[in-house]
Amino acid sequence: KRLDLLHLLFGSALAVDGNGGVVLAVDGAATVGGPQAVTAYRSSDRGQTWAGPVTLSTAGEEALEPALESRGSGDVRAWWAESSAGGNLDAWNVWYRRSTDGGATWAAKVKLSDATGGAAYKTPAGFKEPYGDYGEMAITSTGKAIGIWGEGASYDGPGGVWFNREQ
């Protein structure tokens, strides 16, 4: 299966595990003017053939800026920014999911951006806006995930870079 995604893409992330498994996460709308979703494609043969997509984000919400990391054999972690409460574009959160089979299936999503204060743009519902295009994912030597992302009052700021780690 050839990936013909260029007309849909805004943001993307790529991760390769130690056995040549590849996962590609992309954000984009399925229809012109529709909400962006984060979806994942996977390859178990170093990108020769592809399966998917698997939607990681919540249907009907805006979702963007995915980050990925993988290690070992099929251990993949992903995060992305997603609007809240029916598409509220003034309340975003960062969500995390894990796959242990190379992206074929994914665990339920977990909120990473769980701080409800500490900056003027944060509320219990989320932060005002993804800030810039900052963000990354890592996996520690003990197998714990770390996500880092930008959030702020607007895309232009002011804002900050926040992180959270798996317990």
Side-chain angles (χ1 to χ4, degrees), residues 43-123:
S43 172
S44 58
D45 57 9
R46 295 177 167 77
Q48 296 299 308
T49 59
W50 292 88
V54 174
T55 302
L56 300 180
S57 58
T58 303
E61 296 292 345
E62 291 286 345
L64 45 91
E65 300 179 1
L68 283 174
E69 184 62 270
S70 64
R71 70 178 194 140
S73 177
D75 183 2
V76 185
R77 323 291 175 90
W79 74 251
W80 65 94
E82 184 175 302
S83 64
S84 301
N88 182 353
L89 299 181
D90 286 327
W92 291 81
N93 286 288
V94 173
W95 295 92
Y96 163 84
R97 290 181 80 172
R98 180 179 186 180
S99 174
T100 58
D101 58 9
T105 61
W106 294 82
K109 70 180 192 174
V110 175
K111 189 189 302 185
L112 277 184
S113 57
D114 57 1
T116 59
Y121 53 79
K122 294 177 88 58
T123 71

Side-chain angles (χ1 to χ4, degrees), residues 96-162:
Y96 163 84
R97 290 181 80 172
R98 180 179 186 180
S99 174
T100 58
D101 58 9
T105 61
W106 294 82
K109 70 180 192 174
V110 175
K111 189 189 302 185
L112 277 184
S113 57
D114 57 1
T116 59
Y121 53 79
K122 294 177 88 58
T123 71
F127 52 90
K128 291 280 285 182
E129 183 79 27
Y131 178 51
D133 54 2
Y134 315 112
E136 202 51 69
M137 185 100 215
I139 303 172
T140 69
S141 61
T142 60
K144 302 295 183 181
I146 298 174
I148 187 166
W149 62 92
E151 56 184 56
S154 71
Y155 185 82
D156 296 329
V161 176
W162 293 72

Side-chain angles (χ1 to χ4, degrees), residues 5-63:
L5 300 170
L6 293 180
H7 67 288
L8 296 176
L9 293 182
F10 178 72
S12 62
L14 185 72
V16 181
D17 71 20
N19 293 331
V22 183
V23 176
L24 171 67
V26 298
D27 66 23
T31 60
V32 174
Q36 292 187 143
V38 171
T39 56
Y41 296 82
R42 67 183 176 86
S43 172
S44 58
D45 57 9
R46 295 177 167 77
Q48 296 299 308
T49 59
W50 292 88
V54 174
T55 302
L56 300 180
S57 58
T58 303
E61 296 292 345
E62 291 286 345

